[in-house]
Amino acid sequence: MTAIDFSTFVDDLAKAAGETILPFFRTALNVRDKSNQGQFDPVTAADHAAEVAMRTLIRRTFPDHGIIGEELGNERADAEYVWVLDPIDGTKSFISGMPAWGTLIALTHFGEPVFGVMNQPFTGERFSGDGGAAHYRGQTDARELRVRACSALSEAILFTTSRSS
């Protein structure tokens, strides 16, 4: 498979997930708490539907690849290539109607990450990295991403949608 084919496939996965999720966003959703630890860990029909859509594409295109999914468990997690899927990262934000959520898709080769993408279908933005470079693609532009110089942790900027434990 060429790099262009791979890039196109990951775009197809992200698009399929986004098209599945967006009709649920900012609607009245049934939310289930999947936690058994006492901390609220929501899951919705949008999470399940998007993971099913991505798994279907992966199985059809790469039947020998494994899948580790946030909602539907593992299939062949010891395969040479394994996809790691989180259909809605930021489900608390999603169910609150806030746009700080996205779909996470990663590919590992022999257990080592080789590519990752964070797709934000509501904002039309996509962030990706391959271990060598990170990229941003929005509705009107695309560019390589870089970090700013930061000589001390106290100068770092951090954002989170939930408190840490």
Side-chain angles (χ1 to χ4, degrees), residues 3-164:
I4 294 171
D5 293 334
F6 176 72
S7 177
T8 298
F9 180 72
V10 172
D11 282 346
D12 290 345
L13 279 180
K15 182 179 177 185
E19 288 174 349
T20 303
I21 294 166
L22 280 175
F24 291 94
F25 188 50
R26 294 184 173 163
T27 65
L29 286 171
N30 287 324
V31 178
R32 184 176 61 83
D33 183 2
K34 65 182 179 179
S35 172
N36 57 9
Q37 305 293 326
Q39 292 186 348
F40 182 55
D41 190 7
V43 64
T44 70
D47 294 273
H48 285 275
E51 189 166 323
V52 167
M54 289 187 288
R55 285 174 178 266
T56 299
L57 284 174
I58 292 167
R59 287 183 196 122
R60 182 172 54 219
T61 309
F62 302 108
D64 295 334
H65 286 197
I67 302 170
I68 297 173
E70 172 86 10
E71 307 307 336
L72 302 176
N74 302 344
E75 296 176 27
R76 294 181 303 285
D78 59 346
E80 178 180 355
Y81 287 96
V82 178
W83 295 90
V84 182
L85 310 173
D86 185 351
I88 301 177
D89 183 56
T91 305
K92 290 175 186 173
S93 181
F94 180 82
I95 64 176
S96 299
M98 301 304 296
W101 59 273
T103 299
L104 302 180
I105 303 167
L107 179 64
T108 65
H109 183 236
F110 291 119
E112 295 295 319
V114 295
F115 191 81
V117 68
M118 194 284 203
N119 184 52
Q120 290 183 291
F122 184 71
T123 63
E125 297 175 301
R126 194 166 293 165
F127 303 83
S128 62
D130 61 10
H135 301 275
Y136 165 84
R137 187 171 74 212
Q139 295 180 13
T140 59
D141 70 327
R143 63 184 177 274
E144 188 169 333
L145 293 173
R146 301 192 181 277
V147 298
R148 68 177 177 81
C150 185
S151 60
L153 185 58
S154 63
E155 297 173 5
I157 297 171
L158 172 71
F159 174 79
T160 182
T161 58
S162 60
R163 66 177 182 83
S164 62

